[in-house]
Amino acid sequence: MAGLAAIKADPAGAVIGLDFDGTLAPIVPDPADARVDPHAASALVRLGGLVGAVVLVTGRPAATAIAYGAVPGGPGLADVPGLVVLGQYGLERWEAGQVTSPPPPPGVDRVRAELPGLLAALGLTLTGGEEPGVTIEDKGRALAVHTRRAADPEAALRALREPLAKLAAESGMQVEPGRLVLELRPAGMDKGHALSAFLAERGARSVLFAGDDLGDLAAFEAVRLSGLPGVTVCSASLEVAALAQRADLIVDGPAGVAALLSALAGALSGP
């Protein structure tokens, strides 16, 4: 309640931080089909003009989050005033239509080359369509292996954990677990580091962060360690319980996040 009160009392000092998949966009079998909840986009357009900053902190490439944040016939994420997207866990930055990022890490080429053979050796079918199997999502600076479409998603995830951890270690990468996904990404950056740096950059006086998956735990911890009045929000699902145990507020998936953002925008713009 102290965090919400601080945001309402001093909106110009508030940073509203959000994950993308599972928070602003529903989780779908094919990651390429993910799209922002239109109600969430509309609420963020309102909030962007009322708070100090709105920042997306996501494992997606920053430009992809913007593209998947478009809403046909309505305002999308690109229309949020002053929006900043910290993509690839903070390695990329989208702001005012421009993306800045460092070169891809050298280990990502090895991971890209070896992943198909590793999956075949494990007896896992690689699919890019509707048929059962596992899918590889190439993010440029990271690669994610999704098991949601496998015949037995949990068994496939278990089979992948040790081999992917070994490949990551040999390639100078690290493994980020998620909702039926294991992502191999560069070491040294996570959502907590990215959010902490952004709060310092903006001189934030309060913060709200909403997420849905294990990768968002670092951002929750950044809120706690910031010393600012803060609110952590879990976009709840049956697949991840750890985040809900650490959250100040629990809402029902992306629709619940959209409702919360809309209510917050109404509270800040009201009398």
Side-chain angles (χ1 to χ4, degrees), residues 85-251:
V85 181
L86 303 178
Q88 303 264 314
Y89 299 89
L91 291 173
E92 293 183 344
R93 182 175 179 129
W94 180 98
E95 188 171 9
Q98 299 295 319
V99 176
T100 56
S101 61
V108 75
D109 288 333
R110 175 177 175 179
V111 170
R112 184 179 291 113
E114 294 189 16
L115 262 183
L118 185 152
L119 297 177
L122 293 172
L124 296 172
T125 302
L126 182 61
T127 178
E130 297 296 327
E131 64 274 12
V134 298
T135 57
I136 297 175
E137 181 186 7
D138 193 333
K139 300 182 178 183
R141 288 167 178 77
L143 290 102
V145 182
H146 297 263
T147 66
R148 189 172 297 275
R149 284 187 167 173
D152 188 337
E154 292 289 351
L157 199 68
R158 288 193 298 271
L160 282 165
R161 282 197 179 101
E162 187 174 336
L164 289 187
K166 183 175 183 291
L167 176 59
E170 293 172 349
S171 307
M173 308 278 276
Q174 69 182 50
V175 177
E176 183 75 43
R179 294 168 64 175
L180 297 179
V181 60
L182 293 168
E183 181 172 333
L184 287 82
R185 62 177 182 82
M189 178 59 75
D190 61 30
K191 292 185 179 183
H193 286 104
L195 181 61
S196 294
F198 189 80
L199 294 176
E201 171 194 317
R202 294 304 174 99
R205 296 185 290 275
S206 62
V207 56
L208 178 150
F209 186 84
D212 78 305
D213 209 344
L214 297 176
D216 298 309
L217 284 171
F220 275 24
E221 185 68 1
V223 172
R224 186 184 71 82
L225 293 176
S226 71
L228 301 173
V231 186
T232 53
V233 180
C234 174
S235 174
S237 73
L238 296 177
E239 294 175 344
V240 178
L243 207 69
Q245 296 168 2
R246 300 277 295 277
D248 298 315
L249 295 175
I250 302 172
V251 298

